[in-house]
Amino acid sequence: MSERKVLNKYYPPDFDPSKIPKLKLPKDRQYVVRLMAPFNMRCKTCGEYIYKGKKFNARKETVQNELYLGLPIFRFYIKCTRCLAEITFKTDPESTDYAMEHGATRNFQAEKLIEEEEKKIQQDREEEELNNPMKVLENRTRDSKLEMEVLENLQELKELNQRQAQVDFEGMLDQYKEMERRQRERDQEEDERETKEMLERVLVKRLRDSDSEEETEDAKDQSRRNTADKPTDILTTDRDTGPQGSSSVGVKKQKVERWERSVGGLGGKGALGSLVVRKKPADSACKPAAAAPQQAADTQTDHSGAGAAKPESSKASNGQPVASQYGSSLSLLEAYTDSDDSNSD
C-alpha cells in the first residue's frame, strides 16, 4: 500500500521508452472540463442571465487552423441553465480575454470598450505626430497645461487638508455634547410643565365634581325634610298656587274654612255647642235624667255627620256627662257651671 505514494518509480535497466506504443487520437477530440463563466452573458433563446463565475461542466476542443504567435486557441461548449441551449466561446490571447461566438450576448463590457477606444486614440495621435511636427508641439503644450491644472488642484487639496487638520475635533465634540445636554434639560422642563398643567386640570375637575355632589346631597336633604313634614301641614302653610289662583291671604282663608267644615271651629258654638248643657229653669228640675241620654245621642249624631273624630266623654259617679276636651276654656267653664247648677237643682 505504501508504493502508491512513491514519486520515483523503478525503471529496469533494459527499459526502452521508444518501444511504448503511441495512441492515435483525433486532433479535434473534445475533453470534459470544469470551468467558470469568464464574463456576464444573456441567453438568446430564453433570455436567462448567466453571471460571471458560474460553474459549468464544459466540453473543450482545439480550434483548427487558428494560431496567435504559435499559441493554440481553444473553444468551449456550455449549456444554458434554463433552456439547455448550447453556448460557445473561445479564448482570445491577443487581448488576454475571451470572445463570444454564438448562443448568447455579452453584457457589461463598457470597460473593455473604453480601453479599446483609448488605445485607438493613442494610435491615431502617434501617427499624426510622425508626419506633422507642429502637431507634436501643440500636443506638448496641451499636456503641460493639463499638468499645471492637476498640480493646482493637488495644491488646493493639500491646503484643504491642512485647514481640516487645524480643526479642534475635541472642542467640537464638547460643544455638541453641551448642546445635547441643554436640549435634554429643555425637554425635561417642558415635560414637567405639561405634567403640572395636567394635574391642575384634574384637580379643578375633582373640585367641580365634589361641589356638584354636595349640591345633590343638599337637594336630597331638603327633599327628606320636605317629606318628613306632617301631611296636614299643607292645609296651614301659606304657598302660592300659581298665576291662576288668588292671593296668599285668600288661600289661607279658604284652607281655614275647609278645616272648620271638616273638624269644626275651635271657638264656635256650632260643632261643640251640643256638648254644653244649657240652663233651663222649667225642665231642668223635672227631667234631669232624660237630658243626659238625649245629649249624648245628639253629640254622636253631630260628630258622625261632620266626619270628624268622636270626642272622648266621661261620666261622673252620679251618671252626669262631663264636657269634652275640644273647645275653648270659656266654653268648658260654662259647661262645668251648668252641670253644677243642674245637679244642685
Side-chain angles (χ1 to χ4, degrees):
M1 293 298 293
S2 61
E3 293 178 359
R4 68 186 181 87
K5 293 185 178 180
V6 176
L7 299 177
N8 298 324
K9 303 295 184 180
Y10 172 74
Y11 295 99
D14 56 349
F15 177 74
D16 188 3
S18 62
K19 293 180 180 180
I20 298 174
K22 293 183 180 180
L23 296 175
K24 294 181 180 180
L25 299 175
K27 294 182 179 179
D28 57 348
R29 72 182 298 263
Q30 296 180 353
Y31 301 91
V32 177
V33 296
R34 183 77 170 172
L35 58 79
M36 292 186 293
F39 46 76
N40 298 313
M41 64 185 78
R42 184 181 182 186
C43 180
K44 290 182 179 180
T45 305
C46 62
E48 178 70 12
Y49 286 95
I50 300 173
Y51 59 89
K52 181 180 179 180
K54 187 173 181 59
K55 293 182 179 181
F56 292 93
N57 291 325
R59 290 181 290 113
K60 171 190 170 185
E61 69 176 7
T62 304
V63 180
Q64 298 297 321
N65 303 322
E66 288 188 19
L67 295 172
Y68 176 76
L69 300 178
L71 298 175
I73 296 174
F74 301 100
R75 182 181 288 112
F76 300 93
Y77 298 88
I78 63 173
K79 291 184 179 180
C80 177
T81 57
R82 183 176 181 183
C83 64
L84 301 178
E86 192 174 61
I87 301 171
T88 62
F89 56 89
K90 61 183 179 179
T91 58
D92 187 7
E94 183 179 358
S95 60
T96 62
D97 199 358
Y98 291 83
M100 175 62 64
E101 282 191 328
H102 75 277
T105 57
R106 185 170 180 176
N107 300 332
F108 308 111
Q109 51 182 346
E111 185 178 357
K112 182 180 178 182
L113 296 175
I114 291 172
E115 291 177 357
E116 292 178 355
E117 189 69 22
E118 289 179 354
K119 288 180 179 178
K120 186 178 179 181
I121 292 171
Q122 186 68 22
Q123 291 176 359
D124 294 340
R125 180 178 178 180
E126 290 177 356
E127 290 177 359
E128 289 178 357
E129 289 179 353
L130 289 174
N131 300 324
N132 190 357
M134 295 298 295
K135 193 69 175 178
V136 176
L137 183 59
E138 291 177 359
N139 292 335
R140 289 179 181 177
T141 306
R142 189 184 301 110
D143 293 340
S144 62
K145 186 177 180 181
L146 291 174
E147 187 176 359
M148 292 296 293
E149 290 179 358
V150 170
L151 291 174
E152 290 178 359
N153 294 332
L154 182 60
Q155 187 65 26
E156 290 179 359
L157 291 174
K158 289 181 178 180
E159 292 177 358
L160 182 61
N161 292 333
Q162 289 178 359
R163 287 198 299 270
Q164 290 181 353
Q166 294 177 358
V167 174
D168 187 7
F169 292 101
E170 296 294 334
M172 292 176 63
L173 292 174
D174 294 339
Q175 291 180 1
Y176 181 72
K177 291 179 180 179
E178 184 67 20
M179 290 175 62
E180 284 187 346
R181 186 181 62 79
R182 292 179 181 177
Q183 184 67 26
R184 286 197 299 269
E185 291 178 356
R186 193 180 301 108
D187 295 340
Q188 186 176 2
E189 291 177 358
E190 291 180 358
D191 294 340
E192 291 178 355
R193 184 173 65 255
E194 291 179 358
T195 306
K196 187 176 181 181
E197 292 177 357
M198 291 175 65
L199 292 175
E200 290 178 355
R201 287 197 295 269
V202 171
L203 181 59
V204 170
K205 184 177 180 181
R206 288 183 179 178
L207 291 175
R208 291 178 181 175
D209 295 340
S210 62
D211 294 339
S212 62
E213 290 177 358
E214 291 179 358
E215 290 178 358
T216 54
E217 290 179 358
D218 294 340
K220 289 180 181 178
D221 295 340
Q222 186 66 25
S223 63
R224 291 196 194 98
R225 286 197 296 270
N226 292 335
T227 54
D229 295 339
K230 295 180 180 179
T232 57
D233 291 344
I234 192 173
L235 300 175
T236 58
T237 55
D238 185 8
R239 294 183 181 179
D240 191 4
T241 58
Q244 295 179 359
S246 61
S247 63
S248 60
V249 178
V251 172
K252 186 176 182 180
K253 188 178 295 183
Q254 291 178 2
K255 292 178 181 178
V256 171
E257 291 176 357
R258 191 182 298 111
W259 176 267
E260 289 180 354
R261 282 197 305 270
S262 62
V263 178
L266 297 177
K269 298 181 180 180
L272 301 178
S274 60
L275 298 176
V276 180
V277 178
R278 298 184 180 278
K279 184 178 181 181
K280 294 181 180 181
D283 296 335
S284 62
C286 60
K287 297 179 179 180
Q294 186 68 26
Q295 185 177 0
D298 295 338
T299 305
Q300 290 179 359
T301 54
D302 291 339
H303 285 283
S304 62
K310 295 181 180 181
E312 295 180 356
S313 60
S314 61
K315 293 184 180 181
S317 61
N318 55 0
Q320 296 295 329
V322 182
S324 174
Q325 61 181 350
Y326 296 98
S328 63
S329 60
L330 295 177
S331 61
L332 293 176
L333 182 60
E334 184 179 0
Y336 279 114
T337 53
D338 290 343
S339 64
D340 293 339
D341 292 341
S342 61
N343 291 329
S344 62
D345 292 338

